[in-house]
Amino acid sequence: MAWTSPKTYIAGSVHTAAELNTYERDNFIAVRAGGIAISGQAANGVPYATSTTQFGILAAGANGAVLTSKGSGAAPAWGPSPIAVAIVFGGG
């Protein structure tokens, strides 16, 4: 069962059971079945899209780590924080 883009409801309008089944029940089932779901949880994890229909969780990084991009098509990763190696003042 695929995800159906939600309908915009207008106050006072009447909706059929078929509409509610399509926009509410079927989407709930799609989410619960993994149509759009997070595969697991990690405390303080960072959710990210693993595909156009799935999500994953990147576990929390080490103290001082920063989130880095590995480019299109690759999962984000934790890496060392960039630091300045040397600062030179004046001529040198």
Short mmCIF file of all heavy atoms in Angstrom, two decimals, residues 6 15 23 32 34 48 67 75 77-78 81 86 91:
data_model
loop_
_atom_site.label_atom_id
_atom_site.label_comp_id
_atom_site.label_asym_id
_atom_site.label_seq_id
_atom_site.Cartn_x
_atom_site.Cartn_y
_atom_site.Cartn_z
N PRO A 6 -1.90 13.73 1.63
CA PRO A 6 -3.09 14.08 2.41
C PRO A 6 -3.97 15.11 1.71
O PRO A 6 -3.50 15.95 0.97
CB PRO A 6 -2.51 14.66 3.69
CG PRO A 6 -1.13 14.13 3.77
CD PRO A 6 -0.67 13.97 2.36
N HIS A 15 -17.39 14.42 4.30
CA HIS A 15 -16.43 13.48 3.74
C HIS A 15 -16.99 12.07 3.81
O HIS A 15 -17.63 11.69 4.79
CB HIS A 15 -15.11 13.55 4.52
CG HIS A 15 -14.52 14.91 4.49
ND1 HIS A 15 -13.84 15.41 3.42
CD2 HIS A 15 -14.56 15.91 5.40
CE1 HIS A 15 -13.46 16.64 3.66
NE2 HIS A 15 -13.89 16.98 4.87
N TYR A 23 -7.32 8.56 2.81
CA TYR A 23 -6.40 9.57 3.32
C TYR A 23 -5.96 9.33 4.76
O TYR A 23 -4.92 9.81 5.17
CB TYR A 23 -7.01 10.96 3.19
CG TYR A 23 -7.26 11.34 1.75
CD1 TYR A 23 -8.54 11.44 1.25
CD2 TYR A 23 -6.19 11.55 0.89
CE1 TYR A 23 -8.76 11.77 -0.08
CE2 TYR A 23 -6.41 11.88 -0.44
CZ TYR A 23 -7.69 11.99 -0.92
OH TYR A 23 -7.91 12.30 -2.24
N ARG A 32 2.90 2.38 9.17
CA ARG A 32 3.17 1.26 10.09
C ARG A 32 3.83 0.09 9.38
O ARG A 32 4.57 -0.67 9.98
CB ARG A 32 1.88 0.81 10.75
CG ARG A 32 1.23 1.85 11.61
CD ARG A 32 2.00 2.15 12.86
NE ARG A 32 2.04 0.98 13.71
CZ ARG A 32 2.89 0.81 14.69
NH1 ARG A 32 3.77 1.73 14.97
NH2 ARG A 32 2.88 -0.27 15.41
N GLY A 34 6.02 0.28 7.08
CA GLY A 34 7.35 0.63 6.60
C GLY A 34 7.35 1.40 5.31
O GLY A 34 8.40 1.62 4.72
N TYR A 48 17.49 10.55 9.13
CA TYR A 48 17.85 11.00 7.79
C TYR A 48 17.20 10.07 6.78
O TYR A 48 16.89 8.91 7.10
CB TYR A 48 19.37 11.07 7.59
CG TYR A 48 20.04 9.71 7.58
CD1 TYR A 48 20.32 9.06 6.39
CD2 TYR A 48 20.37 9.08 8.77
CE1 TYR A 48 20.93 7.81 6.39
CE2 TYR A 48 20.98 7.84 8.78
CZ TYR A 48 21.24 7.21 7.58
OH TYR A 48 21.83 5.96 7.57
N LEU A 67 28.44 16.65 12.46
CA LEU A 67 27.77 15.91 11.40
C LEU A 67 28.31 16.38 10.06
O LEU A 67 28.35 17.57 9.78
CB LEU A 67 26.26 16.14 11.49
CG LEU A 67 25.38 15.28 10.61
CD1 LEU A 67 25.56 13.80 10.93
CD2 LEU A 67 23.93 15.68 10.81
N ALA A 75 25.13 8.20 3.22
CA ALA A 75 24.58 8.57 4.53
C ALA A 75 25.48 9.61 5.19
O ALA A 75 26.70 9.61 4.99
CB ALA A 75 24.49 7.33 5.41
N ALA A 77 27.59 11.28 8.27
CA ALA A 77 28.48 10.61 9.24
C ALA A 77 29.01 11.62 10.22
O ALA A 77 29.04 12.82 9.96
CB ALA A 77 29.63 9.93 8.51
N TRP A 78 29.45 11.13 11.37
CA TRP A 78 30.08 11.98 12.36
C TRP A 78 31.57 12.05 12.05
O TRP A 78 32.17 11.08 11.63
CB TRP A 78 29.87 11.41 13.76
CG TRP A 78 28.44 11.42 14.18
CD1 TRP A 78 27.62 10.36 14.27
CD2 TRP A 78 27.66 12.56 14.54
NE1 TRP A 78 26.36 10.75 14.66
CE2 TRP A 78 26.37 12.10 14.84
CE3 TRP A 78 27.93 13.92 14.63
CZ2 TRP A 78 25.34 12.96 15.23
CZ3 TRP A 78 26.90 14.77 15.02
CH2 TRP A 78 25.64 14.29 15.32
N SER A 81 35.73 17.66 14.60
CA SER A 81 35.45 19.07 14.42
C SER A 81 36.65 19.74 13.78
O SER A 81 37.79 19.53 14.21
CB SER A 81 35.16 19.71 15.78
OG SER A 81 34.93 21.09 15.62
N ALA A 86 46.95 26.82 12.91
CA ALA A 86 47.82 27.92 13.35
C ALA A 86 47.21 29.23 12.87
O ALA A 86 46.62 29.30 11.82
CB ALA A 86 49.21 27.76 12.76
N GLY A 91 53.48 39.88 9.58
CA GLY A 91 54.16 39.29 8.41
C GLY A 91 54.73 37.93 8.78
O GLY A 91 55.18 37.66 9.86
#
